[in-house]
Amino acid sequence: MLTRLLRQSSVYALGNLILKFSGLILHIWYLDTRFFSQEAYGYLVLLETTAQVGVVFGGLGLSTSLLKFMSDEAYAGEKKTVPFTVAVLSVFSIGLMIGGVWVTAPLLASALLDNAADTSLIMWMATYVAFKVLGTVPYTLLRTEERAGWFVAALTLETLALIGGVLFFVVNQGLGLKGVLYAWTAGAALSAMLLLAAMLRRVSWTFNLRIAPRLLRFGVPLALGGLVSLFLKFGDQYLLKGYTDAATVGMYGWAYKMGSLINMLFVQSFQMAFLVLGLKALGKSRENLNLHRQTFRHFVVWTGWGVLGISLLAYDLTLALSDNDGYLEAAGLVLLIALGFLAYGLYFIMLNVLYAEEKTQSIAAMVAGTALLNIILNVILIPQFGAWGAAVATFLSYVVLMGLATYLAERAVRVKYPWVVLAGVLMLTVGLYLIAQLSNNWESPFRVGFRFLLLLSYPTLIFAFRIYTREEIHQARTWLRTRRETGGHQEK
């Protein structure tokens, strides 16, 4: 089971790497003052954030319901009807969402774009959201079937369409924000239509009236929790806009993009595989929990390395992509943001247990309480410290969310996670980061070289400080040897 988790996580990580790398490519133009001012980039950040909120709201948590009901043997007799039922419910939900956006478009335009008359951007954003919600259904079905390769192929197609759209509408046609929204919509529509067509060819076209209320009962609390969870990720951007201006949002948004590499490459790729495999493991037994303990250890160690890497290289990455010095302050925020995502990844490990116990209402309440804390911290810190206050508030909120999830999950199923590993990784990561600050005033080639050496020292120090034990090293070597001898097909 752990081998399957590693293999599928690596495939999802490849897809997320493609997606995130394309995002960095797009920032060649997003951060270029010929196409976007820092203020305009701030508006783009707010539109992207609101679109993600719309996807969660419009989806009603139905994709997670699909995961749950397709993975749970208790619903084996109804699995054939679940995908089509979820698709139909999603269409109705999208209709309600589009209607709501149409009514509130002037208000949204005023709040996000400082121009109540610019409602066309809001409606294009809603169109993009509609296609993303539709596409989520077949994307999730691919995950439940553990067809990670097809998932990544579809994601790559959407990404290529997005890049092509930006090149045409923004770079060639000079359409600015509207051009980006055209590109978003084109990519989302292409992947959604192709995947839906493929899905509908191989599933039963039966709307299951009996299971539909169960899907909604399971999913809607998660959607509400997801909306609140998104506020933990992005609420600081709205509050920054309220207390400061769009240019500050743009700078913070770039810091967040860099820090969220951890979310894309480690957290999301990991949780896409672990959510399914972890639920299957818990569905078989509540006693054998080695998968959860081992996952915790490996996730902390290697995500910690990623946190260190992006934190050390953020300044020079910003220098390479933009000639606007206003973005350089973002580099200092990246460590806090990336560590917050490490805590968020651990939250998903605990969440897996709560999903298995069907404690979705507890999840929603927990996330809502943490979001309230996030609001309070942002309101206190942003007026005094600006973007730094937002970064601190978000980091602390993720840590609290992880702590609450751990408490609830351990009460339900006692796992005994190796917390000493987390302590060791945090000390090592922060220590190497502080050493790297000695190179702040060096010439760029020497600074980058020194920081790469620090980054490469991390795996050696992990073993030197026995964060991985000798027994675990021996197990890893045995596993690799077995994989080579069997050609990688020993696990089922």
Side-chain angles (χ1 to χ4, degrees), residues 265-287:
L265 299 181
F266 294 90
V267 177
Q268 294 301 321
S269 55
F270 149 76
Q271 70 93 12
M272 283 179 179
F274 184 70
L275 181 57
V276 176
L277 297 178
L279 283 173
K280 288 181 178 179
L282 288 168
K284 292 178 181 178
S285 171
R286 294 293 198 273
E287 302 299 326

Side-chain angles (χ1 to χ4, degrees), residues 216-230:
L216 290 169
R217 279 198 302 271
F218 184 87
V220 170
L222 292 178
L224 296 176
L227 288 172
V228 182
S229 179
L230 280 177

